Amino acid sequence: MLIENMQMAFAAIRANKMRSFLTMLGIIIGIGSVISIVSVGDTMRNMFAELYKDVGVTQAYIGIGYWIEDTRQSDYFTLDDLQRIKEVFGDEVAYIDSSASTSGEAIYGRTKEKFDYQGIDYNYQQVQPVDMVYGRYLNEGDVKGRKKNVVMDTVSAKRLFGVENAVNRTFRTTIYGDVDEYTVVGVYRKEMTPFQTMMLGQGDTGGKAMVPYTLLTWPNDSFYYCHVFASEEVDLDEFYSRLLAYIGKLKDRSSADFRMQLAKDEMGQIDSMMGGMAGAVGGIAAISLLVGGIGIMNIMLVSVTERTREIGIRKSLGARTRDIMIQFLTESAILSACGGLLGILLGVGIVSLGGALLRIDVVVKPGVVLLAVGFSALVGVFFGMYPAAKAAKKDPIEALRYE
């Protein structure tokens, strides 16, 4: 019986191809929009997760709270403080530095470029790995000896020196008012997607280089922030709670007096925001499914009117009210499901094409696709209920008299 009803439904759809397609158009656009928007949201969430994974989810910045009015010199961190934290927490601390950075004009011959300098310790590569293509990374001797050595990326080297392999070349720059010669000891390459370049500010804004962080804490070796990477094996909330308590004790303050920015929390906030936005916009797009459902109801009512005589003949031959109702419900469900399948192709196609053009990996969750198909069929059944009931209740004698 079901197969027979389906055959009749497809025959009715083929008999009115253009009308059937225009009826399905609302469902096609609705399903395509929902899948596209939800997939874009999931893709963005995945990209932000990858971005934070690349930047370092376990890292945090800790400093005296901006709300503290009676700040003291002892509230600032020192190199000795960093050493004590390393000794107390051992392997739980994967990396720690002063979070010092500055900018200045780098001069090589007649070339002048604005450079951003990031102060790092020699083991920074363990938490932020890069591909060294020329020379070496900063070592422990560079940091402890406050040597004016730098490592930079290939793009920055090309901008300043005109070549990527700038090892042993020197340039002049000013850091904290002190003009001096700096030597390039290594050049690295770090592949980044366009999205990572945009979000991390790696656009056409000048060069970037890393220097021993001890150069940027000179002359008094005190600094406002402490930059920490926790080991991946620790419970981040528990670890940073203990670390904050220790810092409060070290500085003779309450741990509540210190401000901590956790990359994990930032990632969670962004993920929640992106998920909420995708859900809200997807919900708005789903309204078009209601419009498509109304279109299905309208066309099924027209179909009932056109096939009144057919209904009368089937009833006179013994068809039950339930048989007539199931026939029209099957037709409306198939009409909606076909629209849903075409909508899936449209939505997945748009997202895949956009991902290919932007060179990003798109995320299309099978659950969303199955939900879209199921929902579209449900819409067809729901909005086909009234026309089907109307057809089933027709009096066979009156139906046979219909012209």
Side-chain angles (χ1 to χ4, degrees):
M1 188 67 180
L2 176 61
I3 295 176
E4 183 182 345
N5 284 330
M6 291 180 67
Q7 289 174 341
M8 294 176 65
F10 281 115
I13 292 172
R14 285 195 299 269
N16 299 279
K17 295 183 181 67
M18 181 57 70
R19 188 173 75 179
S20 298
F21 175 74
L22 293 176
T23 302
M24 290 187 290
L25 197 57
I27 299 294
I28 294 171
I29 294 173
I31 293 295
S33 300
V34 170
I35 289 178
S36 298
I37 291 170
V38 173
S39 295
V40 167
D42 288 336
T43 299
M44 292 296 293
R45 293 170 70 182
N46 184 64
M47 290 170 66
F48 272 107
E50 289 297 321
L51 177 65
Y52 270 91
K53 182 179 178 182
D54 187 63
V55 171
V57 180
T58 68
Q59 69 174 309
Y61 293 86
I62 304 172
I64 191 70
Y66 57 82
W67 56 87
I68 302 299
E69 296 180 355
D70 60 329
T71 55
R72 310 163 304 195
Q73 181 61 36
S74 59
D75 293 329
Y76 290 84
F77 291 98
T78 66
L79 296 179
D80 288 339
D81 292 334
L82 301 190
Q83 187 59 39
R84 288 175 187 168
I85 291 172
K86 287 181 185 179
E87 293 172 355
V88 170
F89 290 91
D91 292 339
E92 292 181 289
V93 175
Y95 176 83
I96 188 168
D97 69 21
S98 64
S99 182
S101 63
T102 187
S103 60
E105 188 176 59
I107 303 172
Y108 176 75
R110 295 184 179 181
T111 304
K112 296 181 180 180
E113 285 286 343
K114 179 186 175 184
F115 259 69
D116 292 326
Y117 301 105
Q118 179 185 1
I120 64 168
D121 205 349
Y122 68 93
N123 60 337
Y124 188 59
Q125 193 175 19
Q126 294 177 9
V127 291
Q128 291 289 278
V130 293
D131 180 21
M132 296 299 301
V133 290
Y134 305 108
R136 62 172 177 83
Y137 205 70
L138 294 178
N139 58 34
E140 190 172 3
D142 294 325
V143 176
K144 291 185 175 180
R146 302 182 192 265
K147 294 182 180 178
K148 294 179 172 61
N149 292 337
V150 305
V151 293
M152 62 177 64
D153 62 274
T154 52
V155 175
S156 299
K158 185 77 173 178
R159 292 172 68 118
L160 183 61
F161 301 103
V163 294
E164 288 188 355
N165 188 358
V167 175
N168 294 326
R169 299 204 180 195
T170 61
F171 64 96
R172 208 165 59 255
T173 193
T174 303
I175 292 182
Y176 297 155
D178 182 24
V179 181
D180 213 330
E181 294 281 336
Y182 286 75
T183 302
V184 178
V185 296
V187 180
Y188 66 88
R189 179 179 289 114
K190 190 166 187 178
E191 300 295 337
M192 301 180 71
T193 65
F195 177 76
Q196 289 175 318
T197 301
M198 177 182 69
M199 295 305 299
L200 294 176
Q202 302 292 315
D204 191 24
T205 57
K208 297 184 182 298
M210 293 185 287
V211 301
Y213 79 96
T214 48
L215 286 177
L216 305 185
T217 60
W218 186 262
N220 56 10
D221 285 336
S222 64
F223 34 92
Y224 190 81
Y225 274 114
C226 171
H227 181 207
V228 184
F229 279 80
S231 172
E232 294 183 356
E233 289 76 24
V234 304
D235 182 317
L236 292 181
D237 292 331
E238 189 271 339
F239 166 75
Y240 278 116
S241 177
R242 286 191 291 113
L243 177 59
L244 208 57
Y246 176 76
I247 290 174
K249 181 179 178 181
L250 190 66
K251 298 298 182 182
D252 193 25
R253 278 197 178 271
S254 166
S255 60
D257 291 341
F258 289 87
R259 178 170 177 256
M260 182 166 60
Q261 296 173 272
L262 279 170
K264 178 179 72 73
D265 292 342
E266 291 181 7
M267 185 180 74
Q269 292 170 3
I270 291 176
D271 184 70
S272 177
M273 180 184 69
M274 294 298 299
M277 288 178 60
V281 179
I284 295 172
I287 294 175
S288 60
L289 288 175
L290 298 179
V291 177
I294 293 171
I296 289 177
M297 178 185 285
N298 180 57
I299 206 65
M300 291 306 298
L301 286 171
V302 172
S303 180
V304 168
T305 303
E306 289 178 345
R307 295 160 65 183
T308 299
R309 191 172 181 82
E310 176 194 329
I311 294 169
I313 293 173
R314 290 195 66 192
K315 280 203 163 188
S316 65
L317 292 175
R320 294 167 297 180
T321 299
R322 185 181 67 181
D323 297 331
I324 302 297
M325 189 169 185
I326 291 175
Q327 176 192 340
F328 281 90
L329 276 177
T330 302
E331 187 173 326
S332 64
I334 288 177
L335 200 62
S336 183
C338 289
L341 291 173
L342 292 174
I344 289 170
L345 294 176
L346 177 66
V348 174
I350 290 174
V351 172
S352 300
L353 179 61
L357 293 175
L358 296 175
R359 293 181 299 158
I360 57 176
D361 295 326
V362 297
V363 178
V364 181
K365 293 183 177 178
V368 174
V369 175
L370 293 175
L371 183 63
V373 174
F375 188 70
S376 64
L378 187 63
V379 165
V381 172
F382 179 78
F383 284 97
M385 192 72 72
Y386 175 71
K390 185 177 180 181
K393 291 177 181 177
K394 281 187 176 294
D395 183 87
I397 297 174
E398 292 298 325
L400 286 170
R401 289 176 179 173
Y402 184 83
E403 294 294 337

